[in-house]
Amino acid sequence: MPRIYLDHNATFPPFPEAVRAMQGWLEGFGNPSSVHWHGRRARAALEEARARVAALCGGRPAEIVLTSGATEANALALRGALDAAGGGDLVISAIEHPSVAATAEWLEGRGVGRTRVGVGREGRVDPAAVAAALGPRTVLVSVMLANHETGVVQPIREIAAAARRAGALVHTDAAQAAGRVPIDAEALGVDLLTLSAHKLGGPPGVGALWVRPGTPLAPLLHGGGQEAGRRAGTENLAGAVGFGAAARVAADLARDGAAVAALRDRLETGLCAAWPGAVVHGRGAARLPNTACLGFPGLDGEAAVMRLDLEGIAASLGSACASGSMRPSPVLLAMGAGEDLARASLRFSLGPRTTRAEIDRTVEVFERCVAPARAPAVMEGA
Ligand SMILES: Cc1ncc(COP(=O)(O)O)c(C=O)c1O
């Protein structure tokens, strides 16, 4: 059975360039901190990878802290900034990934003031609402660059400008935006920016935090002084090299999302025709070119994901982290979707190798295997 992978936001199939680059370092070895030949060779590979990751977000190599993924980078940004400031307040949005939302909650339990700014029906954070949430104790504002479920791109430049005027630092989680749209951390006006390798064609278990020079940030991990004292622990060399290779390919792909956006639109049109009353979450907002998140009133979302899987199509129910938990997506709830529609929503995330034939087959399978399950009341428009 041909397999159609439409879950690139969960994890992105590795680019051959990344796999090839890693292979040598799975067999080879060397501690980048060692002074001998093995160490120097490893250091050179690590620094080349760091430069490529920096180029992906418009930064300089020395501004990149390599981490075990976006989850750690987000934790470093939030906990590191609050710790360095000796406490204070934190402002996040209501649609952050759990790695930000749960870290903020954890910080709140330790005395940090936490404000969650809501979103409009299109899933967009209003910069004026962020500005209104800022206070004299606000240390950090954290709003993602693009949402993992809806693909809605947030007005980070405006949010960052408001936060900086109030003297607060700004963090953005760009794990989903990187490789989908061009990123320039400097131009966005943020102080901290998160990346994840496996969301853009690199291996899982590697990520990075871009840190604007001079940003006060306490480390999460203490020890050997790696990453300029910002993240101790012997570096994941093979992972970093794979990340660097993927970042190079991803930076090129991000410059032209038109083809994937056309396929995404074709998919949305086909699915909406198959299920009258279907809604495209965030349709009116600027979105990543690859992400389609649709609500199908009356659909059993879990059953639909399983039926598609039986036909070889990988889609998801909300985010990977939320699926399986049976809880409706907090992102869709924050957008006012309501519990029933949130549970009846599916996410399809495309990649550079997704073809028109795959999209047409997905629509055909949806029409044949999923749409007939529509409840009669819904079919009559009740
Ligand atoms: C927006 C966002 N941030 C952070 C993460 C966590 O990334 P990682 O798996 O690299 O820890 C994800 C993964 O789903 C994500 O979508």
Side-chain angles (χ1 to χ4, degrees), residues 65 76-82 84 169 192 209 211 214-219 229-230:
V65 180
L76 176 58
L78 269 62
R79 291 170 58 178
L82 269 299
L169 297 170
L192 301 153
L209 185 67
V211 183
T215 305
L217 194 70
R230 294 172 299 191

Side-chain angles (χ1 to χ4, degrees), residues 9-10 68-72 74 97 99 144 146 148 173 175-176 196 198-199 206 321:
N9 289 12
S68 65
T71 298
E72 184 190 328
N74 285 341
H97 186 266
S99 54
M144 66 201 330
H148 44 299
D173 176 354
Q176 292 292 349
S196 174
H198 79 106
K199 303 292 185 184
V206 197
C321 309

Side-chain angles (χ1 to χ4, degrees), residues 124-132 134 141 143 145 153-166 170 187-190:
R124 190 175 176 274
V125 179
D126 180 359
V130 174
L134 295 165
V141 173
V143 177
L145 188 47
V153 177
Q154 303 300 328
I156 296 302
R157 209 184 280 249
E158 292 88 329
I159 289 170
R164 290 170 77 94
R165 272 196 301 276
V170 189
L188 285 172
V190 298

